[in-house]
């Protein structure tokens, strides 16, 4: 029992790699992965909206797949590999093309949902490196994330422009411009 009379929470050691940095900490077994990232590791880019798996704001990449970090306990991530929105930018601080596209094409307003969208689209592009640019495909890719501000049009445009630019660069390189 704790001093408050409540049962003492069991604690476990977790060891995992986050944005390519090895992290180790003692956590209560009830601690959500989203809270662990935000409060223990101070990676507050991962946002928490609904806390029950609906809004997608807390999306991260866990062992290569997008997951809602509010639906996992930190202890379940032990031994895993995590990418959060903080890991998207380059070591020199240069924005990831997705982040730049959101900036250029007004993919955000208040920005609360943005980290979740970025991580969801990042995962979609890992699985579909050369998707078509239709509204339908892009809206399907972001259908698991909710935004209260944008009406989604800016987000769809940002993704479409990023894909178009990426495609152009890839085509250019394939045509002999490779460094
Ligand atoms: S905070 Fe996790 S899905 Fe909404
Ligand atoms: S930009 Fe405000 S919730 Fe999406």
């Amino acid at each position: 029992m704790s001093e408050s009379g409540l049962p003492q929470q069991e604690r476990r050691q977790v060891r995992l790699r986050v944005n390519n940095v090895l992290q180790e900490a003692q956590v209560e077994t009830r601690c959500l992965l989203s809270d662990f990232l935000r409060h223990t590791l101070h990676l507050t880019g991962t946002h928490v909206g609904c806390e029950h798996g609906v809004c997608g704001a807390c999306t991260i990449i866990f062992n290569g797949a997008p997951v809602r970090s509010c639906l996992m306990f930190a202890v379940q991530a032990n031994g895993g590999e995590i990418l959060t929105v903080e890991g998207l930018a380059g070591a020199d601080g240069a924005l990831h093309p997705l982040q730049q596209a959101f900036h250029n094409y007004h993919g955000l307003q208040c920005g609360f949902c943005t980290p979740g969208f970025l991580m969801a689209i990042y995962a979609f592009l890992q699985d579909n490196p050369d998707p078509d640019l239709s509204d339908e495909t892009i809206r399907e890719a972001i259908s698991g994330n909710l935004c209260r501000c944008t009406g989604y049009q800016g987000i769809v445009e940002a993704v479409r422009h990023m894909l178009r630019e990426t495609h152009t660069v890839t085509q250019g390189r394939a045509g002999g411009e490779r460094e």
Side-chain angles (χ1 to χ4, degrees), residues 47-58 68-71:
H47 289 170
V48 171
C50 66
E51 277 199 292
H52 59 266
V54 175
C55 72
C58 65
R68 314 277 213 220
S69 58
C70 73
L71 293 185

Side-chain angles (χ1 to χ4, degrees), residues 107-114 117 146-150 155:
L108 68 156
Q109 285 179 36
C110 78
F112 189 84
C113 68
T114 308
F117 271 95
L146 301 179
C147 173
R148 290 170 294 184
C149 301
T150 69
I155 297 170

Side-chain angles (χ1 to χ4, degrees), residues 2 14 22-23 40 43 51 55 76 91 99 102-103 109 112 115 139-140 144 148 157 178:
S2 66
V14 294
L22 192 60
Q23 302 280 1
T40 304
L43 294 170
E51 277 199 292
C55 72
Q76 292 176 292
Q99 294 172 307
F102 267 61
H103 174 75
Q109 285 179 36
F112 189 84
R139 285 180 186 273
E140 174 68 27
R148 290 170 294 184
E157 283 310 308
R178 199 180 293 271

Side-chain angles (χ1 to χ4, degrees), residues 104-144:
N104 291 353
Y105 298 101
H106 311 293
L108 68 156
Q109 285 179 36
C110 78
F112 189 84
C113 68
T114 308
F117 271 95
L118 291 170
M119 301 318 287
I121 299 163
Y122 178 90
F124 170 76
L125 293 175
Q126 297 284 301
D127 291 342
N128 305 276
D130 192 19
D132 69 71
L133 305 179
S134 69
D135 258 33
E136 197 184 355
T137 298
I138 297 170
R139 285 180 186 273
E140 174 68 27
I142 62 174
S143 60

Side-chain angles (χ1 to χ4, degrees), residues 2-164:
S2 66
E3 283 175 15
S4 64
L6 295 171
Q8 196 82 48
Q9 282 296 317
E10 193 184 338
R11 295 178 76 81
R12 296 257 178 87
Q13 184 79 7
V14 294
R15 189 170 198 266
L16 67 175
R17 191 168 282 278
V18 183
N19 301 334
N20 246 346
V21 177
L22 192 60
Q23 302 280 1
E24 281 191 79
Q26 283 269 327
V27 292
E28 289 187 355
T29 49
R30 67 176 179 179
C31 178
L32 298 175
L33 180 55
S34 49
D35 288 337
F36 174 72
L37 292 171
R38 291 177 54 82
H39 303 309
T40 304
L41 302 186
H42 306 293
L43 294 170
T44 53
T46 297
H47 289 170
V48 171
C50 66
E51 277 199 292
H52 59 266
V54 175
C55 72
C58 65
T59 304
I60 56 155
I61 310 297
F62 175 65
N63 288 347
V67 302
R68 314 277 213 220
S69 58
C70 73
L71 293 185
M72 269 182 80
F73 292 113
V75 290
Q76 292 176 292
N78 189 29
E81 184 100 30
I82 286 175
L83 179 71
T84 70
V85 70
E86 287 90 347
L88 286 186
D92 60 354
L95 294 180
H96 184 279
L98 256 180
Q99 294 172 307
Q100 191 63 55
F102 267 61
H103 174 75
N104 291 353
Y105 298 101
H106 311 293
L108 68 156
Q109 285 179 36
C110 78
F112 189 84
C113 68
T114 308
F117 271 95
L118 291 170
M119 301 318 287
I121 299 163
Y122 178 90
F124 170 76
L125 293 175
Q126 297 284 301
D127 291 342
N128 305 276
D130 192 19
D132 69 71
L133 305 179
S134 69
D135 258 33
E136 197 184 355
T137 298
I138 297 170
R139 285 180 186 273
E140 174 68 27
I142 62 174
S143 60
N145 292 66
L146 301 179
C147 173
R148 290 170 294 184
C149 301
T150 69
Y152 300 94
Q153 197 52 43
I155 297 170
V156 171
E157 283 310 308
V159 175
R160 196 191 336 267
H161 278 90
M162 191 216 70
L163 291 175
R164 194 171 282 143

